[in-house]
């Protein structure tokens, strides 16, 4: 009945996906010709209203009407006193076909991208399960996930996996063991480690990590250093550590990432352009005002391009 009633809408979406796929393939071919790789980003969980959940209900914890019985989130942390209740249905890892579904999902991701960053990687070791009736994430519990068995299965299918593990937040030894046993690079965010004895401090980096000046969840570099709520002592320590003044803080941060021993270094465009908090991409735990910043080519001047080219050369990151 739905197939007949929604046939026009389904066809429209199918055409849009076909056109997008064709355009994306054209983009990646052009990038490949220039020696540029493309990193993709996939969420660990699927949306409740997605085709994945609709077509594979047995793979998720749903009731007889198709509504989640437990949902995903994270416990209270520095971002939120009540945690984050994401609302995604959780996987029914007991179903014997779920590894087949994950194989198809990763095959598609590897087909699209040269390297795939999996968000909320810790959910493959243990995930925070929140009763669907709970309005916040406070009443959840940790439940063990079969991450080792899953990635062993995926390695048998694909060989060494081109994966980046998003390992930020509350990371326990089991998550580190899972990441390291499959040699996945983790993430290091300089904003979290300037002048501190932290794994996010450049002198504590190891090679098999990806160094970020900031991520989509943090403020921009210039927004962070210019935040009036940032303690003066912390601000002074950061500037002293990088050897820059506030006006060039973004370039000091970019230089620290590029000159570190991390195998990969990533700079958000907002930091490359020296933009403030108005260009921030996302504020975790908030429901509005996110994902609205848009890049304009006019902001990428020849001076910025040349400065980045020089940094890449000086730090031996030219490809």
């Amino acid at each position: 009945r739905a197939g007949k009633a929604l046939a026009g809408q389904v066809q429209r979406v199918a055409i849009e996906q076909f056109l997008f796929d064709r355009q994306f393939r054209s983009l990646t071919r052009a990038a490949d010709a220039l020696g540029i790789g493309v990193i993709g980003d996939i969420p660990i969980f699927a949306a409740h209203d997605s085709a994945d959940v609709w077509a594979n209900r047995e793979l998720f914890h749903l009731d007889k009407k198709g509504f989640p019985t437990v949902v995903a989130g994270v416990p209270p942390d520095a971002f939120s006193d009540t945690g984050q209740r994401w609302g995604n249905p959780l996987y029914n890892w007991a179903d014997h076909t779920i590894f087949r579904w994950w194989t198809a999902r990763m095959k598609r991701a590897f087909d699209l991208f040269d390297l795939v960053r999996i968000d909320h990687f810790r959910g493959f070791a243990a995930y925070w399960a929140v009763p669907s009736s709970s309005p916040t994430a406070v009443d959840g519990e940790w439940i063990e996930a079969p991450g080792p068995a899953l990635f062993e299965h995926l390695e048998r299918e694909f060989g060494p996996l081109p994966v980046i593990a998003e390992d930020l937040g509350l990371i326990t030894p089991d998550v580190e063991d899972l990441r390291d046993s499959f040699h996945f690079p983790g993430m290091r965010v300089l904003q979290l480690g300037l002048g501190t004895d932290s794994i996010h401090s450049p002198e504590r980096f190891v090679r098999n990590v990806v160094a970020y000046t900031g991520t989509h969840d943090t403020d921009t570099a210039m927004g962070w250093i210019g935040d009036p709520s940032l303690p003066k002592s912390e601000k002074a320590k950061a500037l002293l550590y990088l050897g820059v003044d506030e006006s060039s803080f973004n370039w000091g941060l970019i230089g620290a990432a590029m000159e570190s021993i991390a195998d990969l270094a990533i700079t958000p465009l907002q930091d490359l352009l020296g933009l403030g908090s108005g260009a921030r991409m996302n504020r975790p735990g908030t429901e509005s005002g996110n994902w609205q910043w848009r890049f304009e080519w006019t902001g990428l001047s020849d001076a910025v391009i040349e400065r980045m080219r020089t940094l890449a050369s000086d730090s031996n990151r030219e490809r």
Side-chain angles (χ1 to χ4, degrees), residues 51-65:
D52 283 319
V53 176
W54 175 269
N56 302 279
R57 298 188 185 196
E58 70 282 358
L59 301 184
F60 301 87
H61 286 291
L62 307 175
D63 63 21
K64 292 181 179 180
K65 293 184 177 180

PDB file of all heavy atoms in Angstrom, residues 51-65:
ATOM      1  N   ALA A  51      15.722   4.241   5.976  1.00  0.00           N
ATOM      2  CA  ALA A  51      15.406   3.026   5.234  1.00  0.00           C
ATOM      3  C   ALA A  51      16.057   1.811   5.885  1.00  0.00           C
ATOM      4  O   ALA A  51      15.510   0.707   5.846  1.00  0.00           O
ATOM      5  CB  ALA A  51      15.883   3.171   3.789  1.00  0.00           C
ATOM      6  N   ASP A  52      17.243   2.011   6.498  1.00  0.00           N
ATOM      7  CA  ASP A  52      17.935   0.904   7.164  1.00  0.00           C
ATOM      8  C   ASP A  52      17.068   0.278   8.245  1.00  0.00           C
ATOM      9  O   ASP A  52      16.949  -0.946   8.339  1.00  0.00           O
ATOM     10  CB  ASP A  52      19.251   1.406   7.793  1.00  0.00           C
ATOM     11  CG  ASP A  52      20.338   1.590   6.759  1.00  0.00           C
ATOM     12  OD1 ASP A  52      20.453   0.737   5.870  1.00  0.00           O
ATOM     13  OD2 ASP A  52      21.072   2.579   6.851  1.00  0.00           O
ATOM     14  N   VAL A  53      16.488   1.111   9.093  1.00  0.00           N
ATOM     15  CA  VAL A  53      15.665   0.584  10.188  1.00  0.00           C
ATOM     16  C   VAL A  53      14.343   0.038   9.649  1.00  0.00           C
ATOM     17  O   VAL A  53      13.881  -1.031  10.050  1.00  0.00           O
ATOM     18  CB  VAL A  53      15.423   1.677  11.252  1.00  0.00           C
ATOM     19  CG1 VAL A  53      14.494   1.167  12.349  1.00  0.00           C
ATOM     20  CG2 VAL A  53      16.755   2.119  11.871  1.00  0.00           C
ATOM     21  N   TRP A  54      13.734   0.750   8.706  1.00  0.00           N
ATOM     22  CA  TRP A  54      12.449   0.320   8.147  1.00  0.00           C
ATOM     23  C   TRP A  54      12.556  -1.075   7.539  1.00  0.00           C
ATOM     24  O   TRP A  54      11.673  -1.922   7.717  1.00  0.00           O
ATOM     25  CB  TRP A  54      12.013   1.339   7.091  1.00  0.00           C
ATOM     26  CG  TRP A  54      10.764   0.954   6.348  1.00  0.00           C
ATOM     27  CD1 TRP A  54      10.687   0.233   5.180  1.00  0.00           C
ATOM     28  CD2 TRP A  54       9.422   1.264   6.706  1.00  0.00           C
ATOM     29  NE1 TRP A  54       9.379   0.088   4.803  1.00  0.00           N
ATOM     30  CE2 TRP A  54       8.569   0.703   5.722  1.00  0.00           C
ATOM     31  CE3 TRP A  54       8.844   1.968   7.765  1.00  0.00           C
ATOM     32  CZ2 TRP A  54       7.191   0.823   5.761  1.00  0.00           C
ATOM     33  CZ3 TRP A  54       7.461   2.080   7.809  1.00  0.00           C
ATOM     34  CH2 TRP A  54       6.645   1.523   6.817  1.00  0.00           C
ATOM     35  N   ALA A  55      13.641  -1.319   6.809  1.00  0.00           N
ATOM     36  CA  ALA A  55      13.768  -2.570   6.067  1.00  0.00           C
ATOM     37  C   ALA A  55      14.416  -3.698   6.863  1.00  0.00           C
ATOM     38  O   ALA A  55      14.436  -4.839   6.398  1.00  0.00           O
ATOM     39  CB  ALA A  55      14.575  -2.319   4.793  1.00  0.00           C
ATOM     40  N   ASN A  56      14.944  -3.387   8.043  1.00  0.00           N
ATOM     41  CA  ASN A  56      15.662  -4.399   8.822  1.00  0.00           C
ATOM     42  C   ASN A  56      15.273  -4.319  10.291  1.00  0.00           C
ATOM     43  O   ASN A  56      16.127  -4.215  11.169  1.00  0.00           O
ATOM     44  CB  ASN A  56      17.175  -4.200   8.681  1.00  0.00           C
ATOM     45  CG  ASN A  56      17.652  -4.251   7.249  1.00  0.00           C
ATOM     46  OD1 ASN A  56      17.837  -5.321   6.676  1.00  0.00           O
ATOM     47  ND2 ASN A  56      17.854  -3.080   6.648  1.00  0.00           N
ATOM     48  N   ARG A  57      13.990  -4.371  10.568  1.00  0.00           N
ATOM     49  CA  ARG A  57      13.513  -4.136  11.932  1.00  0.00           C
ATOM     50  C   ARG A  57      14.068  -5.142  12.933  1.00  0.00           C
ATOM     51  O   ARG A  57      14.250  -4.818  14.107  1.00  0.00           O
ATOM     52  CB  ARG A  57      11.985  -4.148  11.957  1.00  0.00           C
ATOM     53  CG  ARG A  57      11.379  -3.033  11.105  1.00  0.00           C
ATOM     54  CD  ARG A  57       9.885  -2.925  11.299  1.00  0.00           C
ATOM     55  NE  ARG A  57       9.308  -1.925  10.390  1.00  0.00           N
ATOM     56  CZ  ARG A  57       8.101  -1.410  10.541  1.00  0.00           C
ATOM     57  NH1 ARG A  57       7.338  -1.803  11.550  1.00  0.00           N
ATOM     58  NH2 ARG A  57       7.643  -0.522   9.686  1.00  0.00           N
ATOM     59  N   GLU A  58      14.327  -6.352  12.479  1.00  0.00           N
ATOM     60  CA  GLU A  58      14.826  -7.377  13.396  1.00  0.00           C
ATOM     61  C   GLU A  58      16.229  -7.069  13.907  1.00  0.00           C
ATOM     62  O   GLU A  58      16.665  -7.628  14.909  1.00  0.00           O
ATOM     63  CB  GLU A  58      14.818  -8.752  12.695  1.00  0.00           C
ATOM     64  CG  GLU A  58      15.844  -8.919  11.582  1.00  0.00           C
ATOM     65  CD  GLU A  58      15.450  -8.250  10.258  1.00  0.00           C
ATOM     66  OE1 GLU A  58      14.335  -7.680  10.192  1.00  0.00           O
ATOM     67  OE2 GLU A  58      16.254  -8.304   9.315  1.00  0.00           O
ATOM     68  N   LEU A  59      16.931  -6.157  13.251  1.00  0.00           N
ATOM     69  CA  LEU A  59      18.299  -5.815  13.656  1.00  0.00           C
ATOM     70  C   LEU A  59      18.338  -4.733  14.731  1.00  0.00           C
ATOM     71  O   LEU A  59      19.421  -4.349  15.174  1.00  0.00           O
ATOM     72  CB  LEU A  59      19.109  -5.350  12.438  1.00  0.00           C
ATOM     73  CG  LEU A  59      19.240  -6.351  11.286  1.00  0.00           C
ATOM     74  CD1 LEU A  59      20.141  -5.786  10.207  1.00  0.00           C
ATOM     75  CD2 LEU A  59      19.759  -7.691  11.778  1.00  0.00           C
ATOM     76  N   PHE A  60      17.174  -4.234  15.139  1.00  0.00           N
ATOM     77  CA  PHE A  60      17.111  -3.141  16.104  1.00  0.00           C
ATOM     78  C   PHE A  60      16.143  -3.496  17.235  1.00  0.00           C
ATOM     79  O   PHE A  60      15.237  -4.314  17.054  1.00  0.00           O
ATOM     80  CB  PHE A  60      16.671  -1.846  15.411  1.00  0.00           C
ATOM     81  CG  PHE A  60      17.591  -1.415  14.305  1.00  0.00           C
ATOM     82  CD1 PHE A  60      17.421  -1.902  13.011  1.00  0.00           C
ATOM     83  CD2 PHE A  60      18.639  -0.548  14.558  1.00  0.00           C
ATOM     84  CE1 PHE A  60      18.278  -1.519  11.984  1.00  0.00           C
ATOM     85  CE2 PHE A  60      19.497  -0.163  13.540  1.00  0.00           C
ATOM     86  CZ  PHE A  60      19.320  -0.646  12.257  1.00  0.00           C
ATOM     87  N   HIS A  61      16.357  -2.852  18.381  1.00  0.00           N
ATOM     88  CA  HIS A  61      15.469  -3.070  19.521  1.00  0.00           C
ATOM     89  C   HIS A  61      14.205  -2.218  19.348  1.00  0.00           C
ATOM     90  O   HIS A  61      14.155  -1.061  19.752  1.00  0.00           O
ATOM     91  CB  HIS A  61      16.189  -2.718  20.827  1.00  0.00           C
ATOM     92  CG  HIS A  61      17.207  -3.736  21.238  1.00  0.00           C
ATOM     93  ND1 HIS A  61      16.863  -4.994  21.669  1.00  0.00           N
ATOM     94  CD2 HIS A  61      18.564  -3.676  21.271  1.00  0.00           C
ATOM     95  CE1 HIS A  61      17.956  -5.681  21.967  1.00  0.00           C
ATOM     96  NE2 HIS A  61      18.993  -4.908  21.725  1.00  0.00           N
ATOM     97  N   LEU A  62      13.188  -2.831  18.713  1.00  0.00           N
ATOM     98  CA  LEU A  62      11.925  -2.147  18.442  1.00  0.00           C
ATOM     99  C   LEU A  62      10.774  -2.965  19.028  1.00  0.00           C
ATOM    100  O   LEU A  62      10.878  -4.189  19.184  1.00  0.00           O
ATOM    101  CB  LEU A  62      11.708  -2.000  16.932  1.00  0.00           C
ATOM    102  CG  LEU A  62      12.829  -1.350  16.115  1.00  0.00           C
ATOM    103  CD1 LEU A  62      12.495  -1.412  14.629  1.00  0.00           C
ATOM    104  CD2 LEU A  62      13.071   0.087  16.551  1.00  0.00           C
ATOM    105  N   ASP A  63       9.689  -2.275  19.333  1.00  0.00           N
ATOM    106  CA  ASP A  63       8.514  -3.006  19.787  1.00  0.00           C
ATOM    107  C   ASP A  63       7.706  -3.474  18.574  1.00  0.00           C
ATOM    108  O   ASP A  63       8.118  -3.291  17.418  1.00  0.00           O
ATOM    109  CB  ASP A  63       7.668  -2.166  20.751  1.00  0.00           C
ATOM    110  CG  ASP A  63       7.104  -0.904  20.106  1.00  0.00           C
ATOM    111  OD1 ASP A  63       7.010  -0.854  18.852  1.00  0.00           O
ATOM    112  OD2 ASP A  63       6.759   0.036  20.838  1.00  0.00           O
ATOM    113  N   LYS A  64       6.546  -4.078  18.810  1.00  0.00           N
ATOM    114  CA  LYS A  64       5.758  -4.657  17.720  1.00  0.00           C
ATOM    115  C   LYS A  64       5.261  -3.611  16.726  1.00  0.00           C
ATOM    116  O   LYS A  64       4.960  -3.929  15.574  1.00  0.00           O
ATOM    117  CB  LYS A  64       4.583  -5.432  18.304  1.00  0.00           C
ATOM    118  CG  LYS A  64       4.997  -6.696  19.064  1.00  0.00           C
ATOM    119  CD  LYS A  64       3.789  -7.442  19.598  1.00  0.00           C
ATOM    120  CE  LYS A  64       4.220  -8.702  20.334  1.00  0.00           C
ATOM    121  NZ  LYS A  64       3.057  -9.466  20.883  1.00  0.00           N
ATOM    122  N   LYS A  65       5.166  -2.368  17.174  1.00  0.00           N
ATOM    123  CA  LYS A  65       4.708  -1.299  16.280  1.00  0.00           C
ATOM    124  C   LYS A  65       5.864  -0.589  15.576  1.00  0.00           C
ATOM    125  O   LYS A  65       5.647   0.348  14.806  1.00  0.00           O
ATOM    126  CB  LYS A  65       3.881  -0.285  17.069  1.00  0.00           C
ATOM    127  CG  LYS A  65       2.559  -0.846  17.582  1.00  0.00           C
ATOM    128  CD  LYS A  65       1.740   0.241  18.262  1.00  0.00           C
ATOM    129  CE  LYS A  65       0.381  -0.293  18.708  1.00  0.00           C
ATOM    130  NZ  LYS A  65      -0.442   0.752  19.366  1.00  0.00           N
TER     131      LYS A  65
END
